[in-house]
Amino acid sequence: MNNKSKINGAESLVQTLVHNDVNVCFANPGTSEMHFVAALDKVPGIRCVLGLFEGVLTGAADGYYRMKGNPASTLLHLGPGLANGLANIHNAKKANSGMVNIIGQHTLQHLQLESPLTSDIEAIARPMSDWVKTSKNSMDLSKDGAEAIENANIAPGKIASLILPADTAWGDGGPIITAKAKATRSKVDEITIKKIANVLTNGVKSTLLLGGGALTEEATLLAGKIAAKTGCGIITEAANARLSRGAGRLNMLRIPGAGVVDRALSMLEKAGQLILVAAKPPVAFFGYPDKPSLLYKEDAPISKLVEVEEDIVSALTDLAIELGAINAVPNHVAVSKRPDRPSGNISKKKLAMAIGATLPENAIVVDESVTTGRDFFPATAGSPPHDWLNNRGGSIGYGMPVSIGAAIACPERKVILLEGDGSGMYTVQSLWTMARENLDITILIFANRTYEILRGELTNVGVQNPGPRAVDMLTLDRPYIDWVNVAKGMGVESLQVNDCDNLLKALDVGIKKDGPFLIEIIF
Amino acid sequence: MNNKSKINGAESLVQTLVHNDVNVCFANPGTSEMHFVAALDKVPGIRCVLGLFEGVLTGAADGYYRMKGNPASTLLHLGPGLANGLANIHNAKKANSGMVNIIGQHTLQHLQLESPLTSDIEAIARPMSDWVKTSKNSMDLSKDGAEAIENANIAPGKIASLILPADTAWGDGGPIITAKAKATRSKVDEITIKKIANVLTNGVKSTLLLGGGALTEEATLLAGKIAAKTGCGIITEAANARLSRGAGRLNMLRIPGAGVVDRALSMLEKAGQLILVAAKPPVAFFGYPDKPSLLYKEDAPISKLVEVEEDIVSALTDLAIELGAINAVPNHVAVSKRPDRPSGNISKKKLAMAIGATLPENAIVVDESVTTGRDFFPATAGSPPHDWLNNRGGSIGYGMPVSIGAAIACPERKVILLEGDGSGMYTVQSLWTMARENLDITILIFANRTYEILRGELTNVGVQNPGPRAVDMLTLDRPYIDWVNVAKGMGVESLQVNDCDNLLKALDVGIKKDGPFLIEIIF
């Protein structure tokens, strides 16, 4: 190495990130990450986004991957900083999002002592990561970084956690490394294609269950052609990382999710034989007394077309060709039709209408509406084309951070965040980052002032007549959260509404605005 | 078992908690914990406190133990709920606080399926816990609960994490179990006492380094007697879980902590031979290039009187007797003297004076003031007697939650929370719980609008001339956080001040008020 190229380990790592298209770093640094922070400054081509709590960062990386298909990096301060980000790493892992976590660590020598922040970072990372490594040498940091990126890029997307001891950051760095290209997705074999074609034409009611990468516009329209030819139904998993929908795209129902097992069982009973397209055999969100955990009968006919990590579009194309459906006009396509603009008091149904009536074209809808949102899907099916993002990991507090990542991935698109008041509080610090980066997000807070889903769940698990102290644990009153003040406090413009006219006005303002805008909806 | 006593597993667990003096549950439940929530209602004698984020709960349990000496329980929702609480469990573990975490889990059958919230909870719990167990049978739940309490009670206090599958909660419960009594702390042997007495009288400058349980009024006054007799110095570890101080109590300096290694080295060089009293050999917070990790020379004379889990008061008593110091008038006792009430612009020094001038008698001071608070200790040494709590784990976001737990443990005492604006944001949801429970906490937010410690750390780790993007990652501007609005939004009365007169007025209001009051201090 000549002197001109002498860089430290942190610089070699940041250069390797940029060289391999990891262009964003969601960061909350501490002392052990100071050289990495300095390197972020010296190396052009990486956008640094500060978050005031680590769950904001890891959720943002999830949202970024969903919309960009490329991993972002996070910068986390030692074991506790990683711990704060774990819940949204969990959600990202369940959503098959790729992510490169850079986690600072003490110097290798300091680590042998018992100092306040010492912890076993590898052990903390492992339960939520697909790949974990501690760099042992500054010269290897770029190589380890490239390996992390290669792992994050494994289809459909993996969690890579690279632990960065401070002395590997400030020691001499090695050369920039080019990560191996993403592997080509493997193709489904002809035998499987023919087998599924036979299932679809055996005279029994069939339904395609679409998951993961089968939810792009291209993949769903192929499924629509198959439906046109065979008469099969098409549904999606209960929660989808990213679903293309709206007018001109496929109109599909989701399997009902948390808290409504009976509705899910009823839908799947009507579905007939299930064909899995990048989806898993459906299971309930929770186990309940006297209710099954599987949402299908153990002897039900379930076949699999393609796994989430395989070449999904090519499997659907081959199946459509096999069935003679490739030139069919797709079935189940939504016609362009918005609901009427509602008036009067706000109900869940009118809320759904208001969203359907105003949803801007090409919006990214991040849905953490929990109980409030059960009517939203049908009401928006004929709205202009948009993407719909759900939480696949079930850990609440995903919505605000994922919106940040989506907005940064797609600065030209409007993000509409549908957020419960309970779930919104988990990562409420997100609002500050939205303000700082002036992200184009309209935030709807559904202020029902309760963990409403749990009221239903008390009954579902067989608790009779819960007493006042139990109900207290589900209720967000005394005091009510005043979201308008909370948002203002973090620099986000905000309004409270409690009737449909003001809701629609506020939606018009928020959607027109180029930046974050929060609407607290009392109903 | 007769029918009359037929209870479910959750009820048997709650009854076992109450029976063994675990009288508080800091809770954020989900579906899998609904039977436990119902049981909290049915069983009298347990106070349930709802938090809107799990880091609030685990930090509150830490604060509760520090002030009460008895573990509280937490109720956490599955792996991600535990993950959200881990950083403050880390801090509690480093502070030697006992805690009984009850973590909900899927039914054992459901756990075999891949559902959204499935994760390896034992693996998530282990890095931050001393004891981890998953209950396998509803009849064993009370037994497992008693075992968790026994483990939490092991001196000086341990983290016990009990995982509660939903079906063990709703299945038939076993009998209430009495946990084994806390083991008697072992006594330091006579040889060690004589050895330390010899060290203290060998003519070389000596200093007692007090940690953990050596910081009660009783223990520190014994140390003061030993100092009166031998002329030794007395210092404390850099961060203390709970330190009794103020007028009439011992006035001790702490070893300087994060960001100021040189000051720590200088203090310890002057200390001479160190005698550890429930303390560890001192090490730096972080490793730095060209600075040692150990705060003492490797060949320095260090002796140990007593370990943190042993009988500390009896060791100090025996040593005082051995030295003929038991009837001495303690040295280093602080005289009663408050600083003058400052006026004009606010500086760090005047801030310290204002706190010293107004600190109410018997206050509990929770200190997460980071860089702002480096002058606070001397300015409050002669204020009325109080307890001072520091973060021993270094993971910021401990202050607000620990204040909640301290206020619940000691409802008759005023809690004064000294909080940085950066650190306060990590667990800002705490404010809502303070409002809901009307906790008697005066919150001072030091709004320097930066992670100021990191500016120093950039230099300490050898980064020269950081560029604007690096500085951006340390700066809480664009937008400024408006703490008055944030607090109001969560139901806490609040004021902003930017000069000493208004600061003192606000302190008077907050201290007089019986409930939470937040003062945002701009300086």
Side-chain angles (χ1 to χ4, degrees):
Chain A
M1 185 166 37
N2 63 35
N3 274 335
K4 222 171 64 184
S5 67
K6 194 164 173 182
I7 55 177
N8 67 26
E11 286 156 9
S12 78
L13 176 55
V14 174
Q15 290 195 9
T16 297
L17 291 174
V18 173
H19 177 68
N20 293 292
D21 297 325
V22 179
N23 299 315
V24 175
C25 183
F26 297 105
N28 185 267
T31 296
S32 38
E33 294 80 50
M34 285 295 101
H35 280 90
F36 190 91
V37 167
L40 287 171
D41 203 278
K42 283 186 193 158
V43 178
I46 191 156
R47 179 172 179 183
C48 310
V49 178
L50 179 62
L52 302 186
F53 173 72
E54 293 86 349
V56 178
L57 312 174
T58 53
D62 181 8
Y64 183 87
Y65 189 87
R66 293 183 192 213
M67 297 312 302
K68 200 84 168 183
N70 235 20
S73 58
T74 66
L75 182 64
L76 308 171
H77 185 43
L78 298 154
L82 168 61
N84 281 336
L86 278 185
N88 271 334
I89 298 178
H90 166 91
N91 288 330
K93 190 162 185 255
K94 299 279 180 169
N96 294 314
S97 290
M99 178 183 307
V100 176
N101 298 306
I102 314 277
I103 305 142
Q105 175 59 300
H106 286 311
T107 67
L108 292 168
Q109 187 212 347
H110 196 78
L111 199 48
Q112 294 159 33
L113 307 170
E114 196 190 311
S115 62
L117 277 162
T118 303
S119 66
D120 184 349
I121 301 183
E122 290 194 7
I124 299 165
R126 239 174 253 124
M128 307 303 196
S129 301
D130 297 291
W131 178 91
V132 177
K133 186 172 192 175
T134 301
S135 266
K136 292 283 155 64
N137 189 311
S138 62
M139 291 297 291
D140 291 338
L141 206 45
S142 49
K143 193 158 58 69
D144 294 337
E147 200 183 331
I149 296 163
E150 287 163 10
N151 275 278
N153 276 331
I154 292 173
K158 299 285 178 188
I159 308 296
S161 295
L162 177 63
I163 300 162
L164 175 69
D167 43 352
T168 65
W170 71 56
D172 286 345
I176 300 165
I177 304 287
T178 303
K180 273 181 270 177
K182 294 182 196 183
T184 312
R185 285 171 175 244
S186 65
K187 290 211 173 192
V188 172
D189 59 39
E190 212 184 307
I191 298 168
T192 303
I193 301 290
K194 283 189 193 300
K195 196 192 98 182
I196 300 298
N198 284 336
V199 170
L200 279 166
T201 50
N202 68 3
V204 180
K205 164 78 182 163
S206 300
T207 296
L208 302 177
L209 173 56
L210 306 191
L215 300 169
T216 61
E217 184 174 8
E218 185 183 12
T220 54
L221 287 175
L222 285 165
K225 288 170 187 275
I226 293 165
K229 185 74 183 185
T230 66
C232 69
I234 309 179
I235 58 176
T236 79
E237 290 185 302
N240 303 303
R242 176 182 175 183
L243 168 60
S244 296
R245 61 193 299 271
R249 293 180 178 170
L250 239 58
N251 180 13
M252 298 171 286
L253 291 178
R254 291 172 296 188
I255 297 173
V260 283
V261 174
D262 293 335
R263 287 196 226 169
L265 286 166
S266 153
M267 174 190 275
L268 285 162
E269 200 175 333
K270 288 178 204 139
Q273 19 181 45
L274 273 189
I275 293 152
L276 306 176
V277 186
K280 297 276 178 203
V283 302
F285 210 91
F286 290 106
Y288 300 91
D290 314 319
K291 282 180 190 171
S293 278
L294 296 179
L295 294 179
Y296 53 92
K297 300 213 167 58
E298 293 216 37
D299 58 353
I302 297 190
S303 345
K304 184 182 71 193
L305 173 65
V306 59
E307 295 275 13
V308 71
E309 67 271 17
E310 295 177 316
D311 189 336
I312 297 158
V313 166
S314 125
L316 285 165
T317 305
D318 289 351
L319 181 60
I321 292 169
E322 178 70 25
L323 288 162
I326 195 73
N327 294 316
V329 176
N331 206 353
H332 307 303
V333 170
V335 294
S336 175
K337 184 176 177 2
R338 288 184 185 272
D340 294 334
R341 288 168 77 98
S343 63
N345 289 336
I346 298 174
S347 64
K348 285 184 195 173
K349 206 182 145 107
K350 287 190 193 169
L351 207 39
M353 289 168 71
I355 294 164
T358 56
L359 196 67
E361 181 153 3
N362 215 17
I364 301 166
V365 180
V366 178
D367 179 6
E368 191 164 39
S369 55
V370 199
T371 50
T372 305
R374 287 184 181 144
D375 296 323
F376 290 177
F377 227 50
T380 49
S383 297
H386 57 274
D387 283 303
W388 197 282
L389 280 55
N390 271 114
N391 185 357
R392 284 177 58 84
S395 175
I396 56 179
Y398 109 107
M400 290 207 194
V402 163
S403 299
I404 289 173
I408 285 174
C410 303
E412 74 294 348
R413 298 177 65 176
K414 174 69 77 174
V415 177
I416 305 286
L417 169 58
L418 310 175
E419 185 67 87
D421 50 356
S423 48
M425 281 300 289
Y426 282 73
T427 45
V428 66
Q429 303 90 342
S430 302
L431 292 169
W432 183 85
T433 298
M434 293 180 191
R436 181 180 243 213
E437 300 288 332
N438 193 39
L439 300 178
D440 198 8
I441 305 171
T442 303
I443 306 140
L444 282 67
I445 299 285
F446 306 119
N448 61 13
R449 296 164 169 175
T450 169
Y451 291 130
E452 187 173 310
I453 192 167
L454 296 183
R455 296 180 176 241
E457 293 292 75
L458 266 173
T459 314
N460 287 338
V461 300
V463 171
Q464 307 296 335
N465 308 317
R469 286 198 293 168
V471 170
D472 230 30
M473 291 299 102
L474 320 180
T475 310
L476 309 182
D477 60 354
R478 297 180 290 118
Y480 291 140
I481 298 159
D482 178 343
W483 280 92
V484 171
N485 273 323
V486 170
K488 274 188 191 154
M490 298 194 200
V492 171
E493 205 182 326
S494 53
L495 265 182
Q496 193 190 75
V497 300
N498 56 16
D499 64 48
C500 285
D501 291 339
N502 284 309
L503 168 61
L504 287 164
K505 269 187 224 160
L507 278 167
D508 289 341
V509 171
I511 290 167
K512 200 168 283 168
K513 187 175 152 75
D514 181 24
F517 187 78
L518 184 143
I519 307 168
E520 181 183 16
I521 302 166
I522 313 288
F523 66 102
Chain B
M1 184 165 38
N2 62 34
N3 275 336
K4 224 172 63 186
S5 67
K6 193 165 173 182
I7 55 177
N8 67 26
E11 286 157 10
S12 78
L13 176 56
V14 175
Q15 290 195 9
T16 296
L17 291 174
V18 173
H19 178 69
N20 292 292
D21 297 325
V22 179
N23 300 314
V24 175
C25 182
F26 298 104
N28 184 268
T31 296
S32 38
E33 295 80 49
M34 284 296 100
H35 281 90
F36 190 90
V37 167
L40 288 171
D41 203 278
K42 284 185 193 160
V43 178
I46 191 155
R47 179 172 180 184
C48 310
V49 178
L50 178 62
L52 302 186
F53 174 72
E54 293 85 350
V56 177
L57 312 173
T58 54
D62 180 9
Y64 184 88
Y65 189 87
R66 294 183 192 213
M67 297 312 302
K68 200 86 169 181
N70 236 18
S73 59
T74 66
L75 181 63
L76 309 171
H77 184 44
L78 299 154
L82 168 61
N84 281 336
L86 278 184
N88 271 334
I89 298 178
H90 165 91
N91 287 330
K93 189 162 186 256
K94 298 279 180 169
N96 294 315
S97 290
M99 179 184 307
V100 177
N101 299 307
I102 315 276
I103 305 141
Q105 176 58 298
H106 286 310
T107 66
L108 293 169
Q109 187 213 346
H110 197 78
L111 199 48
Q112 295 160 32
L113 307 170
E114 196 192 311
S115 62
L117 277 162
T118 303
S119 66
D120 183 349
I121 301 184
E122 290 194 6
I124 299 166
R126 237 173 255 124
M128 306 305 196
S129 301
D130 297 291
W131 178 90
V132 177
K133 186 172 192 174
T134 302
S135 267
K136 292 285 155 64
N137 189 312
S138 62
M139 292 297 292
D140 292 339
L141 206 45
S142 49
K143 195 159 56 69
D144 294 337
E147 199 184 332
I149 295 163
E150 287 163 12
N151 276 278
N153 276 332
I154 292 174
K158 299 285 178 189
I159 308 296
S161 296
L162 177 63
I163 300 161
L164 175 69
D167 43 352
T168 66
W170 71 56
D172 286 347
I176 300 166
I177 305 287
T178 302
K180 273 181 270 179
K182 294 182 197 185
T184 311
R185 285 171 175 246
S186 64
K187 289 211 171 194
V188 171
D189 60 40
E190 212 185 305
I191 298 168
T192 303
I193 301 290
K194 284 191 191 300
K195 196 192 98 183
I196 300 296
N198 285 335
V199 170
L200 278 166
T201 51
N202 68 1
V204 180
K205 162 79 181 160
S206 299
T207 297
L208 303 178
L209 174 56
L210 306 192
L215 301 168
T216 61
E217 183 173 8
E218 184 182 12
T220 55
L221 287 176
L222 284 164
K225 288 169 185 278
I226 292 165
K229 185 75 182 184
T230 66
C232 70
I234 309 180
I235 58 176
T236 79
E237 290 186 300
N240 303 305
R242 177 181 174 181
L243 168 60
S244 295
R245 62 194 298 272
R249 294 181 178 169
L250 239 56
N251 181 12
M252 297 171 285
L253 290 179
R254 291 171 295 189
I255 298 173
V260 284
V261 174
D262 293 335
R263 287 197 227 166
L265 286 167
S266 153
M267 173 190 274
L268 285 163
E269 199 174 334
K270 288 176 205 140
Q273 15 181 51
L274 274 190
I275 293 152
L276 306 177
V277 187
K280 296 277 177 203
V283 301
F285 210 92
F286 290 105
Y288 300 91
D290 315 318
K291 281 181 189 168
S293 279
L294 296 178
L295 294 180
Y296 53 92
K297 299 213 168 55
E298 292 215 40
D299 58 354
I302 297 189
S303 345
K304 183 182 69 193
L305 173 64
V306 60
E307 295 276 12
V308 71
E309 66 274 15
E310 294 177 316
D311 189 336
I312 297 158
V313 166
S314 128
L316 285 165
T317 305
D318 290 350
L319 181 61
I321 291 169
E322 178 70 27
L323 289 162
I326 197 70
N327 294 317
V329 175
N331 205 352
H332 307 303
V333 170
V335 294
S336 176
K337 184 177 179 355
R338 289 184 184 271
D340 294 333
R341 288 168 76 97
S343 63
N345 288 337
I346 298 175
S347 64
K348 284 184 195 174
K349 207 183 146 110
K350 288 191 193 167
L351 207 40
M353 290 168 69
I355 293 165
T358 56
L359 196 67
E361 181 152 5
N362 215 18
I364 301 166
V365 180
V366 178
D367 179 6
E368 190 164 38
S369 54
V370 198
T371 50
T372 305
R374 286 181 182 145
D375 296 322
F376 289 177
F377 227 50
T380 49
S383 298
H386 57 273
D387 284 301
W388 197 282
L389 280 54
N390 271 114
N391 185 357
R392 285 177 56 83
S395 176
I396 56 179
Y398 108 107
M400 291 207 194
V402 162
S403 299
I404 289 173
I408 285 174
C410 304
E412 75 293 350
R413 297 176 66 175
K414 175 68 80 175
V415 177
I416 305 286
L417 169 58
L418 310 175
E419 185 67 88
D421 51 355
S423 47
M425 280 299 288
Y426 281 74
T427 46
V428 66
Q429 303 90 342
S430 303
L431 293 169
W432 183 85
T433 297
M434 294 180 189
R436 181 180 243 214
E437 301 288 332
N438 193 37
L439 300 177
D440 198 8
I441 306 171
T442 303
I443 307 140
L444 282 66
I445 299 285
F446 305 120
N448 62 12
R449 297 166 170 174
T450 167
Y451 290 130
E452 186 171 312
I453 192 167
L454 296 182
R455 295 179 178 244
E457 292 294 74
L458 265 173
T459 314
N460 287 338
V461 300
V463 171
Q464 308 295 336
N465 308 316
R469 286 198 294 168
V471 170
D472 230 29
M473 291 300 100
L474 320 180
T475 311
L476 309 182
D477 60 354
R478 296 181 291 118
Y480 291 141
I481 298 160
D482 177 342
W483 279 92
V484 172
N485 273 322
V486 169
K488 274 188 190 154
M490 298 194 202
V492 171
E493 207 182 323
S494 53
L495 265 181
Q496 192 191 75
V497 300
N498 56 15
D499 64 50
C500 285
D501 290 339
N502 283 309
L503 168 61
L504 287 164
K505 268 186 225 161
L507 279 166
D508 290 341
V509 170
I511 289 166
K512 199 167 287 171
K513 187 178 154 73
D514 180 24
F517 187 79
L518 184 144
I519 307 168
E520 180 183 14
I521 302 167
I522 312 287
F523 66 103

